[in-house]
Amino acid sequence: MSDLSLPAPPRRSLSLHDTKVRGVFYQLLLACGLLALAVGIGMQTASNMRVRGIPLSFAFWNDAAGFDINQALIPYDALSTYGQAFWVGVANTLYVSALAILFATLLGFFIGVARLSPNWIVSKVATAYVELVRNVPLLLQLLFWYNAVLKPLPAPKASIAIPGGVYLNNRGLIIPEIQLHAGAGLVGLAFVAAVSCCIAFWSRAKIIQRRTGKQLPVFRVSLATLIGFPLIVFLAAGEPVSFVAPELRGFNFQGGHQLYPEFVALLIGLSVYTASYIAEIVRSGIQAVPKGQTEAAYALGLAPGKTLRLVVIPQALRIIIPPLTSQYLNLTKNSSLAVFIGYPDLVQIFAGTVLNQTGAAVQVMAITLSVYLMISIATSLAMNACNRHFAIVER
């Protein structure tokens, strides 16, 4: 019996008549065209900058800035470099953005749930808030909070006293300053240990609930641990953390920590404005959960509050988180409007003052754009990880 062999498959020739080859060729051609365009723009830009005497290097980075910044989270003075001024702007931008994201999320969730309240007054007030705030430009709201609310406040001598050693006037909000003494690190370690214990207890409680259906008092235990353990260490270490209350001396307050009107106006404006969009995201996410889930929870004897917290919201988060990412990105980019009310963020310090003094427009703007790009990418990665955590796992 003779062996039968299959004929060898025909070899495919690299021809533009082949669809795949043609597609790769066109993509390479487009990539080369874009690269040539970018190189041409870069060369023309460099030539124009040389003709006009505009610096091409980053040598200005280590030059003395020569200007002061009244709100700096890191050490800075007029003798610091432009590079140090850049980091001050980055820190201020991240600081106000992080706080605004926190407050906007809390306020947005509250308003979103309130919109679905069976109480007619609560529902209509929440609806009015959303419709009013969403339809007024953010810049106008920032100017309103700064010029119409904070600027007309009384002078320091007639400050509005708030219980707890807090004072409010036209120079900002003055709060007690925290001073750390020897042993304060132990209190910090105790707080970290308390948080770790709470996470471990929460994980164990979830396992027990899945196995037996029994619910452990996670909230009460966590609250007692977070307060009790650091408090015991605080007392045992001799109270290494103290508060210095501000005192009025002359025409201004001495001591304490001052939150300037520009910062407060920007924080309130970003939080209130973004919260109106988050509220609609939360409302739509809750309404997207099938009503059968709520009815089943009621049939099991769960109260409306527990039904919302344990059944509805955990399922709604799968719908809420993706659009929530966009709002966080928008809030961070909207913080650049701080320049209109004088808050020293990255745009005002680096893309404003530093650019004007050095003339290095291309370098400064390239760095500024890169910073916002990296912040947006980091935010997206963090929210995508959070979204994967709440996503439905298929079996």
Side-chain angles (χ1 to χ4, degrees):
M1 188 175 181
S2 60
D3 294 335
L4 297 177
S5 58
L6 296 175
R11 296 181 61 183
R12 298 178 61 181
S13 60
L14 297 179
S15 172
L16 290 179
H17 296 290
D18 190 321
T19 305
K20 292 185 178 179
V21 174
R22 190 167 60 248
V24 173
F25 174 75
Y26 287 150
Q27 291 182 38
L28 291 176
L29 189 63
L30 177 61
C32 292
L34 292 176
L35 180 60
L37 179 63
V39 171
I41 293 176
M43 294 177 61
Q44 185 63 38
T45 301
S47 175
N48 294 337
M49 291 172 66
R50 278 192 293 267
V51 170
R52 290 167 175 77
I54 300 175
L56 294 171
S57 67
F58 292 86
F60 69 89
W61 188 267
N62 295 319
D63 294 340
F67 60 88
D68 289 318
I69 302 175
N70 64 347
Q71 303 178 58
L73 298 176
I74 59 178
Y76 177 85
D77 55 38
L79 299 178
S80 299
T81 63
Y82 288 121
Q84 188 72 2
F86 163 78
W87 290 115
V88 171
V90 172
N92 287 349
T93 296
L94 293 176
Y95 180 52
V96 72
S97 298
L99 288 179
I101 285 175
L102 174 63
F103 294 144
T105 303
L106 296 176
L107 181 59
F109 264 82
F110 176 78
I111 297 297
V113 174
R115 285 209 61 186
L116 302 175
S117 172
N119 188 301
W120 187 86
I121 296 179
V122 173
S123 175
K124 295 305 178 183
V125 169
T127 302
Y129 166 86
V130 170
E131 296 301 329
L132 175 63
V133 175
R134 280 202 312 168
N135 291 291
V136 176
L138 175 59
L139 179 57
L140 293 182
Q141 295 188 39
L142 293 178
L143 295 175
F144 167 79
W145 288 110
Y146 183 64
N147 294 314
V149 176
L150 297 178
K151 279 297 184 180
L153 289 174
K157 283 192 174 183
S159 297
I160 302 173
I162 302 174
V166 179
Y167 298 91
L168 182 64
N169 54 54
N170 58 8
R171 297 186 183 179
L173 184 69
I174 299 92
I175 60 177
E177 183 180 4
I178 300 176
Q179 286 192 347
L180 304 179
H181 308 285
L186 296 176
V187 180
L189 292 176
F191 181 77
V192 173
V195 172
S196 302
C197 291
C198 291
I199 295 175
F201 182 73
W202 174 75
S203 301
R204 182 61 181 171
K206 286 187 66 176
I207 295 174
I208 293 176
Q209 183 178 1
R210 288 172 182 173
R211 291 178 178 176
T212 65
K214 181 180 179 181
Q215 292 184 357
L216 299 180
V218 176
F219 177 76
R220 292 195 296 270
V221 172
S222 300
L223 185 62
T225 304
L226 289 175
I227 296 177
F229 188 49
L231 181 61
I232 293 173
V233 176
F234 172 78
L235 296 176
E239 301 182 3
V241 181
S242 62
F243 294 89
V244 178
E247 296 181 1
L248 181 63
R249 296 180 181 176
F251 296 99
N252 205 352
F253 282 88
Q254 300 293 328
H257 181 69
Q258 182 178 3
L259 300 177
Y260 290 86
E262 296 83 6
F263 170 80
V264 176
L266 181 63
L267 179 61
I268 295 176
L270 290 175
S271 302
V272 171
Y273 180 76
T274 308
S276 63
Y277 288 90
I278 294 178
E280 284 298 275
I281 294 173
V282 171
R283 178 192 62 80
S284 59
I286 292 176
Q287 288 183 325
V289 177
K291 292 185 178 180
Q293 297 292 316
T294 304
E295 295 171 354
Y298 289 161
L300 292 174
L302 291 179
K306 283 192 172 182
T307 299
L308 182 67
R309 180 167 54 90
L310 300 176
V311 178
V312 177
I313 290 183
Q315 297 183 68
L317 284 175
R318 300 163 184 162
I319 305 171
I320 292 172
I321 291 177
L324 196 62
T325 304
S326 298
Q327 296 306 319
Y328 289 169
L329 296 177
N330 290 337
L331 186 150
T332 304
K333 290 179 284 189
N334 287 337
S335 66
S336 60
L337 293 174
V339 66
F340 290 97
I341 57 175
Y343 177 72
D345 73 324
L346 178 63
V347 173
Q348 190 202 44
I349 295 175
F350 199 65
T353 306
V354 173
L355 188 151
N356 290 331
Q357 293 190 183
T358 62
V362 175
Q363 299 93 313
V364 168
M365 293 309 300
I367 294 174
T368 304
L369 294 175
S370 300
V371 169
Y372 279 102
L373 177 62
M374 288 187 289
I375 293 174
S376 297
I377 292 175
T379 304
S380 298
L381 291 176
M383 293 301 294
N384 287 338
C386 183
N387 187 39
R388 286 193 298 270
H389 175 74
F390 286 99
I392 298 176
V393 179
E394 297 182 1
R395 300 178 181 177

